[in-house]
């Protein structure tokens, strides 16, 4: 685990008193398209960032970029978040590097291959592990950390795909459904402790993950701006683009005997 | 008139996934995004056909197209990697736009060393077309300000290229039209500024002699460019406005530019641009500057990027699109060539309003295939009228060749193989540096036929 900045966050703050109000943000899955776009907005605000991603080369490029765009501190750690037994050590290191944490942003996930998952249980299990079980491990640690301090925002990327099982995407969708339900329960538990849990439900967004999908996709920078605003406002749930709120309301309420015949 | 080089079936009606700025020709291709420096050549596995790295599609013809091929779009590879505030050298991934470079550089007191007429081009595209700007006489072309870059080939090899390291690859890639490999990152030497403002002067002229006199009178002005009326004949032949600018030396606010708000909302019908409307526009433009001399201080945006204020302004030319014609004729025949070509354009009645006349300076471009050369450069748009525009372009191409000039691949959709090979006799040497998996419709068009020299 390495840090890009030559000085720890505390020293960076001492050197620049304006950075005192800078948010301390932990980003898990920092090289994902939505996470990177979100971090660019935070960097321009002078935030202090700790970035975790699997690929060292990509992480280094993202970290260098965010530093140049104005982040007052950028720390990094290369980690495979599927390795849940290393989460405690990783997260401890991250919050120590940041000397605290205002926002935890969980943005890692995989789309998987629906057709393959229909044939191979191992592939379906992998999608569910990365998108649901690994976040449960991270969220357990992060929620307890925040509850202890009676402060903090935990913002998590789920998906509109988790709202209802559809044949084109139900393996990914069910992993996100599990995540959404977990987040609902967690919010119900920690809200009274002063901790905010935000469930972010993007529709299709134009990123590397969806490059092969030939559908209308939202601009990632607009999505990122909505996410930053939702976190500032401490919303509970964000549909982004917002049109997906009424769309998913309708999708959820189509009777199953009709829904099962649709090609969605 | 033979049209062997121009596919008559090229203009399909469906909107393809990727268009060049001229929206002609229209070719189908698969877009394959490159989001990371490590994506190429891995993304090539399983792709059928050739590929071409592309950026924001601001070149006009087919230099950024590959019919039935794969377009490796680099715009997701847009990270800033390093900046030395002492020397002004910025290192960035090749897909970053010059607009984003300006957003970063201007608040830090720096500006692009060379800028084209739009800021919506990528760093990689600016190198691959070795673009030029209004300061060519003072600064040369874009490649003159690139200390180094990384070139990745489809065999997986990676080269650091600079004037001293892999220098042949360096010169082949500057102006190499994206055919030598994928540029992953590049260094760009920015120039210092103390203000966003430009000290501007506009002077009316009538005819090429007056244009040349003005050029002589202001040898040390950093930016010079002229708008010229290509539609008028007789007394008003080759009238224009000579525009000069310098970065203001008075310190001023260095805030980033706001996002443009205007978008050209729809495709204009093809008949809307005709001789009458264009002549009217030109008269208004010429007389908008009421006095023969105007002096003012203006922001760099309207000075460098007047058309960027309206996104998608190319829709003004309708679905059929437009073609550009841009030559550089060496001084030896620059004057007679320019007069003869302007006469031919005026006679055709096809000219549109965006005609730019400029002198290229003596600083040699570093690229093997670079377009700029000392002399006179003229650039203008033509709406596509199939039976008229292409025969005219063939005549203008031949005239350019007779006067010892050359045309600009990044602006071209019509030059013949014979013309290209006469303009760029070094093309066969360049072929050795081409990546075997990379190709463009332009390259196929101008090298596909046998050389008939």
């Amino acid at each position: 685990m390495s840090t890009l900045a030559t000085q720890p966050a505390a020293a960076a703050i001492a050197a620049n008193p304006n950075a005192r109000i800078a948010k301390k943000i932990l980003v898990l899955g920092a090289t994902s398209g939505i996470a990177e776009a979100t971090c660019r907005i935070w960097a321009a605000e002078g935030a202090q960032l700790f970035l975790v991603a699997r690929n060292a080369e990509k992480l280094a490029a993202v970290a260098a970029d965010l530093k140049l765009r104005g982040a007052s501190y950028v720390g990094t750690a290369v980690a495979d978040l599927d390795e849940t037994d290393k989460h405690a050590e990783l997260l401890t290191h991250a919050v120590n590097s940041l000397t605290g944490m205002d926002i935890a942003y969980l943005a890692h996930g995989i789309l998987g291959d629906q057709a393959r998952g229909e044939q191979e249980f191992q592939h379906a299990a992998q999608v569910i592990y990365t998108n649901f079980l690994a976040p449960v491990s991270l969220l357990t640690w992060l929620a307890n950390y925040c509850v202890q301090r009676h402060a903090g925002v935990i913002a998590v990327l789920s998906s509109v795909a988790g709202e209802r099982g559809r044949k084109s995407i139900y393996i990914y969708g069910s992993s996100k459904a599990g995540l959404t339900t977990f987040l609902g329960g967690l919010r119900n538990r920690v809200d009274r402790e002063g901790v905010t849990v935000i469930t972010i439900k993007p529709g299709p967004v134009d990123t590397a993950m969806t490059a092969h999908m030939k559908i209308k996709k939202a601009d990632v920078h607009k999505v990122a701006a909505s996410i930053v605003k939702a976190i500032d406002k401490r919303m509970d749930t964000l549909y982004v683009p917002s049109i997906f709120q009424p769309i998913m309301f309708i999708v959820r309420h189509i009777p199953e005997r009709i829904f099962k015949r649709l090609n969605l | 008139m033979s049209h062997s080089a121009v596919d008559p079936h090229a203009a399909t009606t469906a909107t393809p996934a990727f268009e060049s700025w001229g929206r002609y020709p229209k070719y189908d291709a698969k877009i394959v995004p490159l989001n990371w420096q490590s994506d190429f050549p891995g993304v090539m596995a399983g792709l059928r056909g050739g590929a071409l790295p592309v950026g924001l599609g601001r070149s006009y013809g087919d230099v950024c197209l590959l019919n039935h091929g794969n377009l490796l779009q680099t715009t997701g590879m847009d990270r800033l990697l390093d900046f030395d505030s002492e020397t002004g050298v910025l290192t960035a991934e090749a897909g970053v736009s010059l607009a984003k470079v300006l957003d970063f550089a201007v608040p830090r007191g720096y500006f692009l060393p060379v800028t084209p007429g739009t800021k919506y081009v990528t760093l990689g595209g600016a190198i691959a077309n070795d673009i030029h700007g209004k300061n060519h006489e003072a600064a040369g072309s874009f490649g003159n300000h690139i200390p180094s870059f990384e070139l990745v080939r489809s065999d997986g090899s990676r080269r650091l290229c600079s004037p001293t390291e892999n220098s042949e690859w360096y010169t082949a890639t500057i102006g190499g039209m994206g055919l030598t490999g994928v540029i992953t990152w590049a260094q760009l030497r920015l120039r210092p500024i103390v203000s966003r403002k430009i000290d501007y002067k506009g002077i009316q002229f009538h005819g090429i002699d007056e244009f040349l006199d003005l050029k002589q009178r202001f040898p040390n002005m950093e930016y010079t460019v002229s708008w010229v009326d290509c539609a008028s004949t007789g007394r008003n032949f080759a009238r224009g406005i000579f525009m000069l600018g310098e970065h203001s030396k008075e310190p001023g606010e260095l805030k980033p530019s706001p996002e443009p708000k205007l978008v050209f909302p729809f495709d204009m019908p093809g008949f809307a641009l005709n001789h009458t409307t264009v002549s009217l526009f030109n008269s208004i433009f010429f007389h908008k500057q009421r006095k023969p001399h105007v002096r003012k201080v203006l922001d760099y945006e309207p000075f460098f990027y007047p058309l960027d204020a309206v996104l998608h302004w190319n829709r003004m030319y309708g679905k059929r699109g437009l073609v550009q014609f841009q030559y550089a004729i060496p001084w030896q025949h620059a004057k007679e060539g320019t007069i003869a070509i302007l006469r031919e354009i005026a006679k055709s009645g096809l000219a549109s309003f965006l005609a730019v006349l400029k002198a290229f300076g003596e600083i040699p471009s570093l690229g093997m295939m670079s377009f700029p050369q000392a002399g006179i450069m003229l650039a203008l748009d033509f709406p596509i009228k199939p039976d008229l525009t292409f025969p005219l372009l063939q005549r203008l191409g031949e005239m350019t060749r007779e006067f010892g000039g050359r045309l600009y691949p990044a602006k071209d959709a019509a030059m013949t193989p014979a013309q290209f090979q006469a303009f760029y006799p070094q093309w066969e040497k360049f072929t050795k540096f081409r990546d075997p998996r990379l190709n463009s419709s332009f390259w196929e068009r101008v090298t596909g036929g046998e050389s008939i020299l």
Side-chain angles (χ1 to χ4, degrees):
Chain A
M1 293 177 191
S2 65
T3 52
L4 185 83
T6 50
Q7 50 189 354
I13 296 162
N16 177 8
N18 292 333
R20 199 172 293 278
I21 50 156
K23 297 173 200 158
K24 299 173 178 183
I25 305 169
L26 167 61
V27 184
L28 298 154
T31 56
S32 92
I34 296 177
E36 188 180 9
T38 315
C39 286
R40 285 187 184 180
I41 298 172
W42 283 326
E45 294 171 355
Q48 301 172 57
L49 302 167
F50 193 93
L51 313 175
V52 180
R54 201 169 33 176
N55 182 304
E57 196 184 332
K58 294 177 181 180
L59 181 58
V62 171
D65 178 69
L66 296 174
K67 190 93 180 90
L68 275 185
R69 285 173 196 269
S72 54
Y73 169 81
V74 181
T76 62
V78 177
D80 182 344
L81 293 173
D82 280 353
E83 295 174 2
T84 50
D85 52 340
K86 294 188 182 152
H87 282 177
E89 186 197 351
L90 171 74
L91 296 172
T92 305
H93 170 68
V95 297
N96 285 343
S97 300
L98 285 171
T99 64
M101 183 188 78
D102 302 313
I103 300 167
Y105 184 36
L106 273 70
H108 73 290
I110 54 172
L111 189 59
D113 179 341
Q114 172 68 27
R116 189 176 155 204
E118 288 168 13
Q119 304 304 322
E120 283 176 44
F121 166 69
Q122 281 309 326
H123 184 69
Q126 178 65 59
V127 171
I128 290 162
Y129 194 90
T130 301
N131 291 348
F132 182 37
L133 291 177
V136 165
S137 163
L138 294 164
L139 287 163
T140 302
W141 193 98
L142 290 166
N144 292 335
Y145 175 90
C146 291
V147 164
Q148 242 176 27
R149 284 157 189 76
H150 298 285
V153 176
I154 300 171
V156 185
L157 286 187
S158 187
S159 171
V160 295
E163 304 277 286
R164 191 157 190 183
R166 288 176 285 135
K167 71 173 187 175
S168 60
I169 195 166
Y170 66 81
I171 297 169
Y172 173 83
S174 60
S175 72
K176 292 298 192 182
L179 183 60
T180 296
T181 304
F182 184 90
L183 290 169
L186 187 67
R187 180 182 306 115
N188 188 213
R189 175 191 137 203
V190 301
D191 179 71
R192 62 203 68 189
E193 310 283 349
V195 180
T196 304
V197 175
I198 305 179
T199 310
I200 301 161
K201 298 177 180 175
V205 181
D206 192 5
T207 64
M209 187 171 95
T210 60
H212 63 286
M213 293 161 77
K214 287 194 170 38
I215 45 171
K216 189 171 154 46
K217 288 175 273 193
D219 175 68
V220 70
H221 298 289
K222 287 186 182 149
V223 167
S226 302
I227 291 172
V228 169
K229 207 188 272 179
I231 291 173
D232 286 344
K233 291 201 312 210
R234 302 188 158 227
M235 286 169 68
D236 296 317
T237 304
L238 171 71
Y239 286 87
V240 59
S242 57
I243 184 70
F244 277 94
Q245 182 144 23
I247 290 175
M248 295 323 292
F249 180 86
I250 294 164
V251 169
R252 281 197 310 273
H253 289 85
I254 298 172
E256 193 61 31
R257 70 192 145 78
I258 297 167
F259 195 85
K260 70 183 178 187
R261 297 200 197 108
L262 301 177
N263 287 315
L264 290 167
Chain B
M1 183 63 51
S2 149
H3 271 233
S4 58
V6 181
D7 179 1
H9 305 294
T12 60
T13 45
T15 303
F18 190 92
E19 289 185 322
S20 69
W21 194 244
R23 308 179 76 190
Y24 175 91
K26 293 187 198 295
Y27 289 142
D28 261 334
K30 184 180 168 176
I31 294 181
V32 180
L34 298 185
N35 291 311
W36 303 97
Q37 294 169 46
S38 52
D39 281 355
F40 182 82
V43 294
M44 296 290 286
L47 292 183
R48 278 188 303 170
L52 179 70
V54 298
L56 286 160
R58 252 40 171 210
S59 42
Y60 281 70
D62 50 4
V63 79
C64 64
L65 301 176
L66 180 57
N67 200 10
H68 301 306
N70 304 285
L71 299 178
L72 310 173
Q73 193 164 25
T74 58
T75 46
M77 211 163 66
D78 65 343
R79 296 167 194 93
L80 308 174
L81 302 174
D82 187 51
F83 180 62
D84 184 331
S85 57
E86 296 295 310
T87 61
V89 173
L90 174 72
T91 309
E93 290 181 336
V96 72
S97 70
L98 297 190
K100 295 293 178 195
V101 171
L102 284 169
D103 285 347
F104 176 81
V106 169
R108 289 166 176 79
Y110 281 99
F111 199 76
L112 297 167
V114 165
T115 179
T118 171
K119 57 181 181 171
Y120 299 117
V121 302
T122 60
L123 176 59
I127 297 169
N129 294 295
D130 195 15
I131 59 166
H132 55 268
K134 297 172 173 58
N135 61 348
H136 186 268
E137 284 161 292
S141 53
F142 200 77
N144 295 78
H145 306 273
I146 301 294
S148 69
F149 55 81
E150 185 189 58
L151 182 71
V152 181
R153 303 267 294 176
S154 62
D155 61 9
S157 62
R158 308 177 90 88
R159 286 176 181 79
L160 180 80
C161 302
S162 75
T164 53
E165 209 168 328
N166 292 308
S167 60
E168 279 204 302
W169 292 98
Y170 178 77
T171 55
T173 301
I174 293 173
M177 298 168 281
L179 297 169
T180 60
V182 169
I183 302 170
T184 51
W185 58 261
Q187 288 189 310
L188 173 64
R189 199 182 301 106
L190 301 168
R191 57 148 293 157
I193 53 169
V194 295
S195 165
R196 290 179 59 94
K197 300 289 185 215
I198 298 288
D199 295 330
Y200 169 83
K201 240 186 281 200
I203 304 170
Q204 289 179 347
F205 65 85
H206 291 83
I208 298 303
D209 282 322
E210 280 188 36
F211 164 76
L212 292 171
D213 285 348
L214 286 167
K215 185 196 123 39
Q216 295 295 333
R217 259 175 60 199
F218 299 98
N220 297 320
M221 192 62 84
E222 184 168 3
Y223 300 104
T224 62
V225 70
S226 298
W227 166 82
V228 63
D229 179 353
C230 287
S232 296
T233 52
R235 199 166 52 88
N236 289 329
F237 176 69
R239 66 176 171 177
I241 297 173
F242 194 81
M243 297 177 267
L244 307 101
E246 277 180 317
H247 290 286
S248 177
K249 292 182 181 63
E250 195 154 314
E253 209 181 355
L254 288 167
K255 55 182 196 306
S257 301
E259 296 282 324
K261 291 199 175 64
L262 297 172
V263 178
F264 204 88
F266 57 88
D267 291 321
M268 283 241 289
F271 59 81
L273 286 184
N274 55 45
H275 188 70
T276 311
T277 55
V278 166
S279 299
L280 187 67
F281 175 91
N282 280 346
S283 280
I284 291 169
F285 195 95
F286 187 79
H287 293 292
K288 195 180 75 171
Q289 172 167 337
R290 298 229 174 108
K291 286 172 283 181
H293 282 250
V294 164
R295 218 178 231 285
K296 57 184 168 184
V297 177
L298 43 85
D299 190 77
Y300 76 75
E301 285 281 341
F303 181 71
F304 288 112
Y305 316 116
L307 290 168
D308 280 352
V310 184
L311 295 173
H312 299 296
W313 63 260
N314 53 346
R315 288 176 183 165
M316 189 172 65
Y317 286 89
K319 278 206 175 89
R320 278 189 295 196
L322 69 144
V323 283
Q324 264 241 342
F325 172 74
Q326 181 165 7
Y327 70 67
I329 298 180
W331 284 118
Q332 200 191 349
H333 299 295
K335 189 180 149 185
E336 49 170 325
T338 298
I339 291 171
I341 288 174
L342 283 174
R343 283 234 163 84
E344 186 70 23
I345 292 168
K347 199 175 78 184
S348 76
L350 287 173
S352 68
F353 26 74
L354 301 163
V356 170
L357 188 66
K358 165 161 184 61
F360 273 148
E362 304 290 336
I363 300 173
S365 291
L366 300 177
M368 192 183 288
M369 298 290 283
S370 292
F371 162 69
Q373 58 181 352
I376 290 183
M377 172 228 104
L378 174 78
L380 76 159
D381 298 344
F382 291 104
I384 291 181
K385 319 245 173 190
D387 299 334
L388 299 171
T389 309
F390 289 102
L392 173 68
L393 288 169
Q394 299 306 323
R395 286 203 297 283
L396 298 179
E398 284 311 305
M399 293 173 79
T400 303
R401 186 175 163 181
E402 280 157 27
F403 291 113
R406 56 166 81 128
L407 299 180
Y408 188 10
K411 299 284 186 76
D412 181 76
M415 73 171 106
T416 63
Q419 286 169 351
F420 173 76
Q421 291 165 24
F423 297 148
Y424 299 92
Q426 68 277 33
W427 75 277
E428 279 177 304
K429 187 185 169 209
F430 173 75
T431 306
K432 282 183 271 180
F433 295 94
R434 205 188 113 205
D435 188 302
R437 295 288 312 268
L438 302 183
N439 201 358
S440 67
S441 287
F442 174 82
W443 190 252
E444 285 181 344
R445 174 162 65 83
V446 298
T447 64
E450 277 176 55
S451 170
I452 42 172
L453 283 173

